[in-house]
Amino acid sequence: DKTEEARKSSIKYLIMTGTGSIFLLFGILGIMSDGISQNIFIKHLLFFSIIVGAGVKAGLFPLHSWLPDAHPAAPTPISALLSGVMVKLGIYAIIKFYFEIFHPGWSIGWENIMIVIGVLTLLGGVIFALIQHDIKRLLAFHSISQIGYIFLGIACGTNLGLVGALYHTMNHAIFKSLLFIGAGVVIKEIGSRELDDYGGLGERMPFTFLVFLIASFSISGVPPFNGFVSKWIIYRALLLKKELLSTFACIMAILGSGLTLASFVKVLNDTFMGVKRKE
C-alpha cells in the first residue's frame, strides 16, 4: 500500500541491503582475486565483509533494524515470504562461505564473536517482541530471534550444528509463514494490526486459533512440535563444544525459548481468548 510507513520502510530496506551488497561484493571480489589470502589481516577483512553483507540480509544484530519496519509494512502474504524465505538467503550465503571457503575453526576469535552475535540476535529479538502491540511487528522481531538460533548452529562449526541450523531454517519457514498468514486473517477480519483491538476471537475463528496455537508452540520450542526438535539439536551442538561461551549460549537459547513462549501466550490471550474489546 502507498502509505508513509511503506515508503519509509522501502527506502530503509533499499539503503541497508544495498550497503550490505557492497560489503558482500567486496568480500567476493577479494576471494576471487586472491583466493583466501595468507595475509591474516586481509583474510579477517574479507570474512568481516561477508558477515556484514550476508548479516544485513539475514537480520543479524546489530544489522537488523530494517526488518521490523519492512515486514509489517508489506502485504501479509509477502511478510510470510520475507520471513520464511528471503532472510534465509543471507543464512545460505553465510553457510556457503563459512563451511566451504573459510572453514570452521580457522579463527577462534571469529567463532566466539559469531556465538556472541547469535546470542544478542536471539535475546534482542525476543525482548523487543515482548513489548510490541502491533501483531506483525511482534512477529517480525520473532523472526530476528529465530535467526539468532540458526546463526548459533552455524557458529558451532560442527556437522551437528549445521544440521540443527538447516533444520531450524526449514522449520522456521513453515511455522513463521503460518503465523504471518494467521495474523493476516485476523487483520483482514478486524481491520487492525493492534493487539489492543482484538480479544475473544477463538469462538469466532476456531480454525485460525488452532493453527496459530500449533505455530506458537512450534516457534516456542514446545515438544513434540518441529521447532523443539531443531532447537534441541542446536542446544546439543552447543553443549558438545564443551566451552564456557558455548554453554552460556545454550543457557541463553533455552531462556530465549521461555521468553518466546511467554510472548505468544500474551498474543494468544489478547487475540483469541479474553474478552473482545472492539465490535
Side-chain angles (χ1 to χ4, degrees), residues 77 80 149 160-161 193 199 244 271:
Y149 282 96
L160 188 63
R193 290 180 358 205
L244 185 62
T271 305

Side-chain angles (χ1 to χ4, degrees), residues 53-71:
V56 170
K57 191 69 176 174
L60 292 176
F61 180 87
L63 308 167
H64 65 281
S65 63
W66 64 268
L67 197 152
D69 293 334
H71 286 205

Side-chain angles (χ1 to χ4, degrees), residues 57 83 108 123 130 138 146 158 161 189-190 206 230 237-238:
K57 191 69 176 174
S83 186
I108 301 301
L123 289 180
L130 279 164
L138 180 146
Q146 297 307 305
T158 61
E189 191 77 5
I190 304 302
S230 50
L238 287 165

Side-chain angles (χ1 to χ4, degrees), residues 72-121:
T76 302
I78 304 304
S79 297
L81 281 174
L82 279 171
S83 186
V85 180
M86 291 301 292
V87 296
K88 306 305 189 316
L89 296 175
I91 290 296
Y92 176 75
I94 292 169
I95 289 172
K96 292 290 282 186
F97 281 102
Y98 188 51
F99 281 86
E100 293 194 10
I101 296 175
F102 286 90
H103 301 296
W106 75 274
S107 168
I108 301 301
W110 269 110
E111 193 172 284
N112 292 336
I113 289 170
M114 288 170 71
I115 289 174
V116 170
I117 290 171
V119 170
L120 291 175
T121 304

Side-chain angles (χ1 to χ4, degrees), residues 178 182 185-186 189 200-215 268 271-273:
L178 187 57
V185 173
V186 173
E189 191 77 5
L201 294 174
E203 292 182 10
R204 181 169 157 187
M205 309 167 75
F207 181 72
T208 305
F209 180 27
L210 176 63
V211 295
F212 206 93
L213 184 67
I214 291 168
L268 289 165
T271 305
F272 298 103
M273 295 178 277

